[in-house]
Short mmCIF file of all heavy atoms in Angstrom, two decimals:
data_model
loop_
_atom_site.label_atom_id
_atom_site.label_comp_id
_atom_site.label_asym_id
_atom_site.label_seq_id
_atom_site.Cartn_x
_atom_site.Cartn_y
_atom_site.Cartn_z
N TYR Y 306 -32.68 -9.14 -22.05
CA TYR Y 306 -31.55 -9.87 -22.02
C TYR Y 306 -30.82 -9.64 -23.25
O TYR Y 306 -31.21 -9.67 -24.44
CB TYR Y 306 -31.98 -11.34 -21.91
CG TYR Y 306 -30.76 -12.44 -22.15
CD1 TYR Y 306 -29.71 -12.39 -21.35
CD2 TYR Y 306 -30.91 -13.33 -23.10
CE1 TYR Y 306 -28.63 -13.20 -21.41
CE2 TYR Y 306 -29.81 -14.16 -23.31
CZ TYR Y 306 -28.72 -14.22 -22.39
OH TYR Y 306 -27.74 -15.08 -22.68
N GLU Y 307 -29.53 -9.50 -23.06
CA GLU Y 307 -28.52 -9.25 -24.31
C GLU Y 307 -27.64 -10.46 -24.51
O GLU Y 307 -26.74 -10.59 -23.55
CB GLU Y 307 -27.75 -7.94 -24.18
CG GLU Y 307 -27.22 -7.41 -25.41
CD GLU Y 307 -26.00 -8.22 -25.88
OE1 GLU Y 307 -24.99 -8.21 -25.18
OE2 GLU Y 307 -26.10 -8.85 -27.02
N PRO Y 308 -27.70 -11.27 -25.42
CA PRO Y 308 -27.02 -12.58 -25.44
C PRO Y 308 -25.58 -12.53 -25.50
O PRO Y 308 -24.86 -13.42 -24.85
CB PRO Y 308 -27.66 -13.39 -26.66
CG PRO Y 308 -28.66 -12.54 -27.27
CD PRO Y 308 -28.70 -11.16 -26.56
N THR Y 309 -24.92 -11.47 -26.20
CA THR Y 309 -23.51 -11.61 -26.31
C THR Y 309 -22.78 -11.25 -24.96
O THR Y 309 -21.80 -11.90 -24.67
CB THR Y 309 -23.05 -10.72 -27.51
OG1 THR Y 309 -23.31 -9.31 -27.11
CG2 THR Y 309 -23.52 -11.16 -28.82
N SER Y 310 -23.29 -10.25 -24.22
CA SER Y 310 -22.71 -9.82 -23.04
C SER Y 310 -23.20 -10.69 -21.73
O SER Y 310 -22.63 -10.64 -20.80
CB SER Y 310 -22.92 -8.39 -22.80
OG SER Y 310 -24.27 -8.33 -22.67
N GLY Y 311 -24.42 -11.22 -21.97
CA GLY Y 311 -25.04 -11.85 -20.99
C GLY Y 311 -25.84 -10.98 -19.99
O GLY Y 311 -26.41 -11.36 -18.95
N ARG Y 312 -25.77 -9.71 -20.35
CA ARG Y 312 -26.44 -8.64 -19.42
C ARG Y 312 -27.96 -8.88 -19.42
O ARG Y 312 -28.61 -9.07 -20.44
CB ARG Y 312 -26.16 -7.26 -19.83
CG ARG Y 312 -24.81 -6.83 -19.51
CD ARG Y 312 -24.66 -5.33 -19.66
NE ARG Y 312 -23.28 -5.03 -19.16
CZ ARG Y 312 -22.19 -5.09 -20.11
NH1 ARG Y 312 -22.44 -5.29 -21.29
NH2 ARG Y 312 -20.95 -4.75 -19.55
N VAL Y 313 -28.54 -8.66 -18.14
CA VAL Y 313 -29.93 -8.66 -17.94
C VAL Y 313 -30.32 -7.49 -17.23
O VAL Y 313 -29.73 -7.09 -16.23
CB VAL Y 313 -30.33 -10.04 -17.08
CG1 VAL Y 313 -31.89 -9.89 -16.84
CG2 VAL Y 313 -29.97 -11.31 -17.77
N MET Y 314 -31.46 -6.76 -17.68
CA MET Y 314 -31.81 -5.65 -17.04
C MET Y 314 -33.44 -5.95 -16.74
O MET Y 314 -34.18 -6.28 -17.56
CB MET Y 314 -31.84 -4.36 -17.88
CG MET Y 314 -32.39 -3.10 -17.29
SD MET Y 314 -32.11 -1.64 -18.21
CE MET Y 314 -33.61 -1.71 -19.22
N GLU Y 315 -33.77 -5.68 -15.46
CA GLU Y 315 -35.15 -5.88 -15.10
C GLU Y 315 -35.57 -4.48 -14.67
O GLU Y 315 -34.97 -3.84 -13.99
CB GLU Y 315 -35.27 -6.85 -13.96
CG GLU Y 315 -36.71 -7.25 -13.65
CD GLU Y 315 -36.96 -8.15 -12.44
OE1 GLU Y 315 -35.90 -8.48 -11.66
OE2 GLU Y 315 -38.06 -8.56 -12.22
N VAL Y 316 -36.90 -4.17 -15.04
CA VAL Y 316 -37.46 -2.88 -14.67
C VAL Y 316 -38.70 -3.24 -13.80
O VAL Y 316 -39.59 -4.01 -14.19
CB VAL Y 316 -37.90 -2.09 -15.84
CG1 VAL Y 316 -38.43 -0.62 -15.55
CG2 VAL Y 316 -36.74 -2.00 -16.86
N LEU Y 317 -38.59 -2.62 -12.67
CA LEU Y 317 -39.85 -2.82 -11.73
C LEU Y 317 -40.45 -1.34 -11.44
O LEU Y 317 -39.57 -0.32 -11.40
CB LEU Y 317 -39.40 -3.38 -10.29
CG LEU Y 317 -38.47 -4.71 -10.52
CD1 LEU Y 317 -37.12 -4.48 -10.26
CD2 LEU Y 317 -39.15 -5.60 -9.38
N THR Y 318 -41.65 -1.32 -11.38
CA THR Y 318 -42.25 0.03 -11.23
C THR Y 318 -43.78 -0.07 -10.45
O THR Y 318 -44.29 -1.02 -10.43
CB THR Y 318 -42.53 0.69 -12.50
OG1 THR Y 318 -42.98 1.99 -12.40
CG2 THR Y 318 -43.58 -0.01 -13.45
N THR Y 319 -43.99 1.01 -9.85
CA THR Y 319 -45.39 1.25 -9.16
C THR Y 319 -46.30 1.81 -10.27
O THR Y 319 -47.45 1.97 -9.98
CB THR Y 319 -45.27 2.07 -7.98
OG1 THR Y 319 -44.86 3.40 -8.50
CG2 THR Y 319 -44.33 1.65 -6.98
N GLU Y 320 -45.66 2.16 -11.41
CA GLU Y 320 -46.60 2.86 -12.44
C GLU Y 320 -47.47 1.84 -13.27
O GLU Y 320 -47.13 0.62 -13.39
CB GLU Y 320 -45.71 3.56 -13.49
CG GLU Y 320 -45.04 4.85 -13.06
CD GLU Y 320 -45.93 5.95 -13.00
OE1 GLU Y 320 -47.20 5.78 -12.94
OE2 GLU Y 320 -45.37 7.09 -13.06
N PRO Y 321 -48.57 2.41 -13.81
CA PRO Y 321 -49.42 1.31 -14.52
C PRO Y 321 -48.92 0.96 -15.97
O PRO Y 321 -49.60 0.13 -16.60
CB PRO Y 321 -50.76 2.12 -14.66
CG PRO Y 321 -50.42 3.58 -14.50
CD PRO Y 321 -49.12 3.68 -13.73
N ALA Y 322 -47.88 1.69 -16.54
CA ALA Y 322 -47.50 1.45 -17.80
C ALA Y 322 -46.03 1.77 -18.18
O ALA Y 322 -45.43 2.37 -17.31
CB ALA Y 322 -48.50 2.26 -18.86
N VAL Y 323 -45.65 1.33 -19.34
CA VAL Y 323 -44.23 1.64 -19.75
C VAL Y 323 -44.27 1.94 -21.24
O VAL Y 323 -44.84 1.30 -22.02
CB VAL Y 323 -43.38 0.44 -19.50
CG1 VAL Y 323 -43.68 -0.82 -20.26
CG2 VAL Y 323 -41.88 0.88 -19.65
N GLN Y 324 -43.59 3.12 -21.66
CA GLN Y 324 -43.31 3.35 -23.03
C GLN Y 324 -42.13 2.66 -23.39
O GLN Y 324 -41.00 2.84 -22.84
CB GLN Y 324 -43.24 4.84 -23.20
CG GLN Y 324 -43.02 5.30 -24.55
CD GLN Y 324 -44.25 5.61 -25.37
OE1 GLN Y 324 -45.35 5.38 -24.83
NE2 GLN Y 324 -44.14 5.93 -26.71
N PHE Y 325 -42.21 1.71 -24.41
CA PHE Y 325 -41.07 1.01 -24.97
C PHE Y 325 -40.79 1.61 -26.34
O PHE Y 325 -41.61 1.52 -27.15
CB PHE Y 325 -41.43 -0.45 -25.11
CG PHE Y 325 -40.45 -1.35 -25.66
CD1 PHE Y 325 -39.02 -1.09 -25.39
CD2 PHE Y 325 -40.87 -2.37 -26.66
CE1 PHE Y 325 -38.14 -1.96 -26.08
CE2 PHE Y 325 -39.83 -3.09 -27.32
CZ PHE Y 325 -38.43 -2.96 -27.00
#
Side-chain angles (χ1 to χ4, degrees):
Y306 170 62
E307 196 288 300
T309 59
S310 64
R312 285 196 178 84
V313 179
M314 180 177 88
E315 187 184 5
V316 185
L317 301 104
T318 190
T319 60
E320 288 279 26
V323 65
Q324 180 86 2
F325 175 41

